[in-house]
Amino acid sequence: MADGDESGSDYDLPSDLDDDADGADESMDEDDEDDDDEPLTEGAKHQRDLEKLKQSQPEFYRFLLENDKELLEFDGSDSEPGSDDEAEAGELAQESAPTKATLTREMIAEWEAQLAQNESVAGVKRLVVAFRSVVMGDEDSESVGYTIPSASLHKRVIIATFKHVPSFLNKHVGDTPNPSSSGKWKRVAPMTKVFVTNAIKLLKDLTEPGMIEYVIQELYACVKFIAVFPKASKDYFKMLLSLWGTAKEETLRIKAFANLRHMAVTFPKKFLAPALKGVYMMFVKSSRHTNVHTLPMITFMTRCAVEIYGLVPDESYQYAFIYVRQLAIHLRNAMAMKTKESFKLVYHWQYIHSLRFWANVLLTHAPKESTSPLAALVYPVVQVMCGVVRLVPTVQFHPLHLHLLASLTDLVRVCGTYVPLVPYYLSILDSCASTKSKPSTLKPMYLPAFLKCPKQYLGTRVYLAGVRNAVHLGLLRYLAALAGHLAFPELAIPAVLGLKADLKATKKDPNWTKSVQSLLDKIEENRKFIMAKRSAADVAPCDAAAVAQFMAQIDPAETPLGKYWTGVEKAEQRRMDAIRGSFEGDAEAIGDAHKAKGKAAHRRDVDVSDEDEDDNMDVSDEADEDSDAEVDDAPAPPKKKAGKKQKKARRPAVEDDDGDDFLAELKGMSVVMDDGMDEDSD
């Protein structure tokens, strides 16, 4: 690192730079006043100022003549924001010099001291040139700049640039959301573009997460300047989208999303449509492989994307309608064709996550009595979900059914839409009761990380007990959502009859009998509670206004069933956390027994649950193990030896083709991102 004295260098500016810069700023203000009396062009004003500078400061004029000759030849024809990079960055990038000056700590300290007193155009421009040298390195040795010998100086220049350049641009241009509309924009447009393009290039080249977070955080205040340049803003938007979807650090994902949201809010005409499409596409792409390790990330992305879809409900509805319609088309094709390939397009993680995502959008932005246009999508989403649950009602797909039934229960609770879910829950209980269980030493299965039961769990007591417990909790949660309904005594009748019938079929399981009996007791208690309220109010079912008023006075959480669910929910959350911990630390519990020991580390970053699902996507694979697993009109399962070979040969197609086709359809059914982002700024 060269930290020697550079005071005698030809590249050092005179000691009175601040005075000259202040004089330049004052002359800039005088020019603005003279514009009212004498309409001079930018070039004429610039030449007049240079003549004054030549007479008053001959030494500084000679310095500019040697080191910044192009500034003296400035003719006032500034480039437009959307022109080529070479034309706009000419004033900075093409300055000729025989050699490059070596930047030292003393020089940076002097620059920072001068900028702390006065952020002049000359001082900021000099800092931008140094910043460009840091980013470009040896890529552009012919342009004027500095040789920066150490990494510490690199970091110091970056920090100084982000500290002073955005604040200077904001002061110079003003608080206008569109800098190009300012009368002073042309003076700083080339310098701004050099700063913006090099900042984005720096973001591309950085590999240290801490520095990436810092750059993104500092660029938050520069969004309005980035938006002026179409190519730069498009590149920056795509980089933010990629970081939000692929970064390993959660804080980096959060900051990338904050910038994405800021761009969509500040410039909705330019960035809102790409944001609506981009976040959904990235969410679907990232949810392809779901396991116990990736679930938190997928949950985070779901919440972020849901927030984007609440910014402008009218425009969000257009995209939501297209994507929900695509999901409905896949379901219709699967119901009509009844082939393995058509079932695969529905019974996979991307499809299920997409359905649950739209349910979360409705839960957040279209609650009960909402006037949002998104409320019109509640019925289509419910219909698609119910159709998916009925598509393959076999025992190995009960985890998938429970995922969708949980989302439907949330829609009932939040959106106020009644959906009869009791028959679906009871059908799962009947399927478990008719399946012959076999003993097993496997650990409890973490159902949220699965769509389909792995082979080693299928038919075991551990799996069937886990499914029954999930049904018990789901049915309790569903009835608790309806606990304050005027018609609860009538709505609970199918559940009571079905649970009593299941008790007769499963008398040998005392734990399950105890759970069901407790639920039946609470249902009866809640029924008596509502009957007492109805008798006191004397409400007629045909009086809709009176019914609504009656239900508004009862909080479901304060009913006997609601209070019971609150206590059970906390205990169940602790139990599921413990099961999840065992899955994260024990690879054998999630189905790694079928892999050879020598290949255990081949796919250590991918959870085995995904591999099992891809291997077992055929809905008739377990027909020989369980009679309920058969699907009407489905092809007969192959022989075991041939089946293993076919699965090994078919696995790449399952992992690549199906997901790629799903994403390709998403791209084809919505607006192309490039069309919206190539427009000028708002």
Side-chain angles (χ1 to χ4, degrees), residues 155-166:
K155 186 174 292 187
R156 190 167 178 180
V157 170
I158 292 172
I159 294 175
T161 302
F162 283 114
K163 179 180 179 181
H164 294 286
V165 174

Side-chain angles (χ1 to χ4, degrees), residues 456-478:
Q456 64 269 29
Y457 274 94
L458 188 62
T460 62
R461 293 177 184 175
V462 174
Y463 173 66
L464 296 178
V467 171
R468 285 197 188 98
N469 183 69
V471 171
H472 168 258
L473 294 172
L475 195 55
L476 171 58
R477 186 163 170 258
Y478 172 72

Side-chain angles (χ1 to χ4, degrees), residues 115-134:
L115 290 172
Q117 297 177 1
N118 178 32
E119 290 181 340
S120 61
V121 177
V124 174
K125 178 181 177 182
R126 177 175 52 192
L127 189 59
V128 170
V129 172
F131 178 67
R132 182 180 183 276
S133 299
V134 169

